[in-house]
């Protein structure tokens, strides 16, 4: 009996007259055995949940979603910080600026009692009462009770980062900063992973850790330098 290629990948071209296939709420799973599945089928279509609209906010675009504890969800949409509630409801937390260009991604971090929001070149703290700009930065982070702020209008402008007071993002001492200056290139990105702070510079990368030093706790990890960087 002839076999028909009904099950297989789909493709939608720029012109629907050329190719207009689209798989909706299914994906292809190939057979792992050489002879295929039952009836020698090479793949099957597996159902996946569809998408549903849960909230409609007055201004967009949505630039960040955050649900760190899994109990409360916050969102930066347009230039506003919202808390998303059940049944499509939401509440306005405060204004955080529109970013440097339309749709620029924002960031949200939490220390358990405060949210640190990075929008454009500004860092804000939401403490349950007010939303206040506290630091100039283009990228943020959180490690061991400290909020982190990378200086610059855009990533790649600087090699300087700052830290907040321990468990208090409203206070940023002007002396609590460090330069990632092991090499002359600037920092293009930073991320906290496995309780380590990683800086991806334009040509190199290096990790930092919390040494517990009372003057400035974050110091380079010996031997962590990598001669590969990040363009953006």
């Amino acid at each position: 009996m002839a076999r028909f290629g009904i099950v297989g990948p789909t493709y939608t071209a720029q012109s629907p007259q050329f190719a207009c296939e689209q798989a909706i709420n299914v994906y292809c799973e190939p057979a792992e055995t050489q002879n295929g599945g039952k009836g020698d089928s090479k793949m099957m279509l597996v159902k996946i949940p569809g998408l549903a609209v849960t909230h409609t906010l007055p201004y967009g675009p949505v630039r960040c979603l955050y649900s760190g504890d899994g109990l409360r969800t916050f969102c930066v949409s347009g230039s506003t910080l919202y808390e998303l509630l059940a049944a499509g409801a939401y509440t306005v937390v405060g204004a955080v600026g529109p970013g440097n260009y339309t749709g620029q991604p924002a960031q949200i971090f939490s220390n358990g009692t405060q949210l640190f929001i990075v929008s454009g070149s500004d860092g804000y703290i939401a403490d349950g009462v007010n939303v206040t700009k506290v630091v100039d930065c283009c990228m943020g982070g959180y490690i061991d009770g400290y909020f982190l702020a990378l200086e610059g209008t855009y990533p790649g402008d600087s090699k300087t980062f700052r830290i907040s007071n321990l468990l208090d993002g409203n206070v940023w001492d002007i002396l609590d900063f460090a330069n990632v200056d092991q090499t002359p290139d600037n920092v293009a990105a930073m991320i906290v992973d496995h309780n380590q702070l990683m800086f991806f510079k334009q040509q190199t990368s290096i990790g930092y850790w919390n040494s517990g030093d009372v003057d400035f706790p974050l110091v380079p990890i010996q031997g962590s330098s990598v001669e590969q960087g990040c363009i953006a």
Side-chain angles (χ1 to χ4, degrees):
M1 178 182 294
R3 301 185 64 83
F4 299 94
I6 298 175
V7 176
T10 62
Y11 172 72
T12 303
Q14 290 183 333
S15 171
Q17 284 74 30
F18 176 72
C20 60
E21 294 178 328
Q22 182 180 11
I24 300 176
N25 295 344
V26 293
Y27 68 92
C28 290
E29 180 178 314
E32 297 294 335
T33 61
Q34 183 177 0
N35 296 326
K38 187 176 181 180
D40 292 331
S41 297
K42 300 300 181 182
M43 62 179 62
M44 63 180 291
L45 293 178
V46 181
K47 293 182 179 180
I48 58 174
L51 301 177
V53 175
T54 61
H55 293 79
T56 301
L57 301 174
Y59 302 103
V62 173
R63 300 166 52 212
C64 180
L65 283 170
Y66 176 82
S67 182
D69 59 7
L71 301 176
R72 302 176 68 183
T73 301
F74 295 88
C75 168
V76 174
S77 188
S79 59
T80 304
L81 175 67
Y82 299 89
E83 181 174 2
L84 305 184
L85 308 174
Y90 62 86
T91 182
V92 174
V93 181
V96 294
N100 296 323
Y101 57 86
T102 300
Q104 181 183 19
Q107 295 178 295
I108 300 176
F109 307 91
S110 173
N111 64 7
T113 59
Q114 299 171 322
L115 295 179
F116 179 47
I117 305 98
V118 178
S119 177
S121 305
D122 302 313
Y124 300 82
I125 286 292
D127 57 12
V129 179
N130 300 305
V131 176
T132 308
K133 179 183 173 181
V134 291
V135 67
D136 295 327
C137 64
C138 59
M139 188 170 287
Y142 175 79
I143 184 171
D144 292 340
Y146 298 96
F147 288 124
L148 312 170
L150 178 65
E151 287 192 350
T153 302
Y154 293 98
D157 287 350
S158 168
K159 57 175 68 71
T160 301
F161 73 100
R162 298 185 176 275
I163 64 172
S164 69
N165 270 22
L166 182 65
L167 295 175
D168 188 358
N170 280 310
V171 181
W172 297 73
D173 191 307
I174 60 173
L175 298 179
D176 281 342
F177 72 93
N179 294 316
V180 188
D181 55 6
Q182 294 79 10
T183 54
D185 45 332
N186 288 337
V187 176
M190 70 177 186
I191 185 173
V192 176
D193 185 54
H194 289 76
N195 212 38
Q196 295 179 348
L197 172 60
M198 294 298 303
F199 290 101
F200 299 96
K201 306 183 74 178
Q202 294 161 328
Q203 298 177 356
T204 58
S205 302
I206 190 169
Y208 276 56
W209 72 294
N210 184 356
S211 68
D213 190 293
V214 295
D215 292 326
F216 194 85
L218 301 178
V219 298
I221 301 171
Q222 292 187 359
S224 67
S225 181
V226 179
E227 294 183 358
Q228 294 291 334
C230 177
I231 192 63

